[in-house]
Amino acid sequence: MGLIQRVIEAAGIPTIGISIVRSYSEKIQPPRTIFLRWPFGHPLGEPGAVRQQRAVLFEAFKALYSITTPGAIIDLPFAWRRFDYADYREPAPFPLPKPIQPASGATPSPPAPE
């Protein structure tokens, strides 16, 4: 996904990745990533958990603005099935972010299968 993100960013469109395998994101270094220590197949949360899914999406959009270094990863504090989303406050509206590019010559290959 990180390689696709770089191509989209090069076209002038900011991107954000949602990762549940931090080691892959560290190797691929997509432009921007948020990380959740959640089970496979659930990057946005549990089915039907609207508050949980909205919180992840809001944090992803917020990361579009806060990440300015290519390859940076933000760890979200949401624990699987242990976080109370009733207390989560959605961020205020913000302007569109600008795309970021990796340092020149930095085009890491995708990780080898384990």
Side-chain angles (χ1 to χ4, degrees):
M1 189 65 184
L3 300 175
I4 295 171
Q5 280 184 257
R6 276 198 221 110
V7 171
I8 294 170
E9 293 261 351
I13 302 169
T15 64
I16 184 76
I18 300 173
S19 174
I20 55 174
V21 182
R22 188 181 177 91
S23 61
Y24 285 177
S25 297
E26 290 172 347
K27 290 178 185 174
I28 296 172
Q29 296 182 343
R32 301 173 187 90
T33 304
I34 59 170
F35 171 72
L36 295 149
R37 190 177 303 276
W38 286 2
F40 286 107
H42 301 282
L44 293 178
E46 301 169 68
V50 175
R51 286 181 183 228
Q52 180 187 50
Q53 295 167 4
R54 285 179 61 96
V56 171
L57 289 174
F58 274 117
E59 291 301 316
F61 289 127
K62 195 166 76 175
L64 281 171
Y65 298 93
S66 61
I67 295 176
T68 57
T69 303
I73 300 172
I74 293 178
D75 295 285
L76 295 186
F78 307 142
W80 183 252
R81 295 188 174 171
R82 293 189 308 253
F83 188 88
D84 184 5
Y85 294 92
D87 294 333
Y88 177 77
R89 298 289 172 248
E90 296 175 358
F94 27 77
L96 292 175
K98 296 179 180 176
I100 56 176
Q101 299 295 321
S104 63
T107 55
S109 302
E114 294 181 11

